[in-house]
Amino acid sequence: AQSVTQLGSHVSVSEGALVLLRCNYSSSVPPYLFWYVQYPNQGLQLLLKYTSAATLVKGINGFEAEFKKSETSFHLTKPSAHMSDAAEYFCAVRSGGGADGLTFGKGTHLIIQP
Amino acid sequence: GAGVSQSPRYKVTKRGQDVALRCDPISGHVSLYWYRQALGQGPEFLTYFNYEAQQDKSGLPNDRFSAERPEGSISTLTIQRTEQRDSAMYRCASSTVGGAPTETQYFGPGTRLLVL
């Protein structure tokens, strides 16, 4: 069985400040990890994914995430927040066994303060 | 090109009625996934197809839920005898190649279902 825990249902940062969204996973086999973003009234869009090629993964819009096996974490960061980053962010895991469905966390709503 | 589309975008129905939700994947995508997302939660996997074959339906909550993809393209998720607890956002996703765990799933805008 696999699961994802996202700490903090809401995170508020000031424009220009560091963004840190936390994700911890549980998986009995080597995981593949994903971050998706959801803007209002839109579908989920892939930000980045960990595929075991490199532990530091760079994504779109200046986001990156680092896979840390010892901490079972895959936290999402961005050095400087922009107002357009306000959205819902979901971390997801898939086991290495095959192309079955993703297991998502509950999501973190990112609020950007002007 | 066009992304994943879903229809209707909003559906209001009365308890006990059947509903059919449609998903039109990106052209040429082999795999198609259905998820359900309750308010304040992340998407929850329901079922998926490779071409027309349903590969895994372990996430379907009960036998009132069924899905088909008869020609390997458009898919329909049907909920029979709807109940208020079925109210949620239903999301569809597609991906290019079935069988690769690193493949990206592309999501549609979802259908918001409200059962009165």
Side-chain angles (χ1 to χ4, degrees):
Chain A
Q2 54 199 21
S3 65
V4 170
T5 301
Q6 291 184 242
L7 294 176
S9 59
H10 292 77
V11 169
S12 180
V13 301
S14 299
E15 190 174 16
L18 171 72
V19 174
L20 170 60
L21 304 182
R22 299 179 186 274
C23 172
N24 288 89
Y25 70 89
S26 171
S27 176
S28 58
V29 296
Y32 297 99
L33 295 155
F34 304 76
W35 275 101
Y36 279 84
V37 60
Q38 181 184 341
Y39 299 103
N41 299 316
Q42 295 185 27
L44 286 83
Q45 178 184 2
L46 182 71
L47 273 178
L48 50 80
K49 60 182 176 181
Y50 167 70
T51 62
S52 76
T55 56
L56 183 61
V57 182
K58 294 187 183 298
I60 62 172
N61 301 338
F63 284 93
E64 63 181 35
E66 185 172 9
F67 174 70
K68 292 187 176 181
K69 184 178 179 180
S70 61
E71 299 177 8
T72 61
S73 69
F74 190 56
H75 301 331
L76 182 71
T77 60
K78 181 174 180 177
S80 177
H82 192 272
M83 295 299 290
S84 61
D85 295 326
E88 189 87 17
Y89 291 80
F90 293 94
C91 181
V93 65
R94 173 189 259 163
S95 71
D100 51 359
L102 295 166
T103 299
F104 284 87
K106 293 185 176 182
T108 298
H109 185 200
L110 178 62
I111 301 163
I112 309 297
Q113 304 281 1
Chain B
V4 177
S5 62
Q6 294 185 244
S7 61
R9 293 291 307 275
Y10 302 92
K11 177 69 177 178
V12 180
T13 190
K14 292 183 179 179
R15 187 178 54 186
Q17 297 294 307
D18 297 350
V19 295
L21 311 181
R22 172 183 166 131
C23 173
D24 198 344
I26 294 172
S27 178
H29 275 198
V30 169
S31 299
L32 185 148
Y33 301 80
W34 282 100
Y35 293 85
R36 177 172 68 173
Q37 185 175 9
L39 208 57
Q41 303 292 319
E44 174 190 15
F45 170 74
L46 295 177
T47 186
Y48 89 100
F49 295 82
N50 281 342
Y51 300 102
E52 72 282 358
Q54 192 168 16
Q55 299 294 317
D56 181 358
K57 53 183 181 179
S58 62
L60 295 176
N62 53 59
D63 60 7
R64 294 187 297 107
F65 287 73
S66 63
E68 63 175 8
R69 193 186 185 198
E71 297 180 359
S73 179
I74 293 169
S75 177
T76 302
L77 177 69
T78 301
I79 309 173
Q80 296 179 311
R81 306 180 303 280
T82 53
E83 301 178 4
Q84 288 184 329
R85 59 176 173 161
D86 299 333
S87 296
M89 176 74 83
Y90 289 83
R91 297 193 181 277
C92 173
S94 69
S95 63
T96 54
V97 179
T102 59
E103 63 188 9
T104 297
Q105 293 183 19
Y106 297 86
F107 283 80
T111 294
R112 184 165 294 283
L113 173 66
L114 177 61
V115 182
L116 300 177

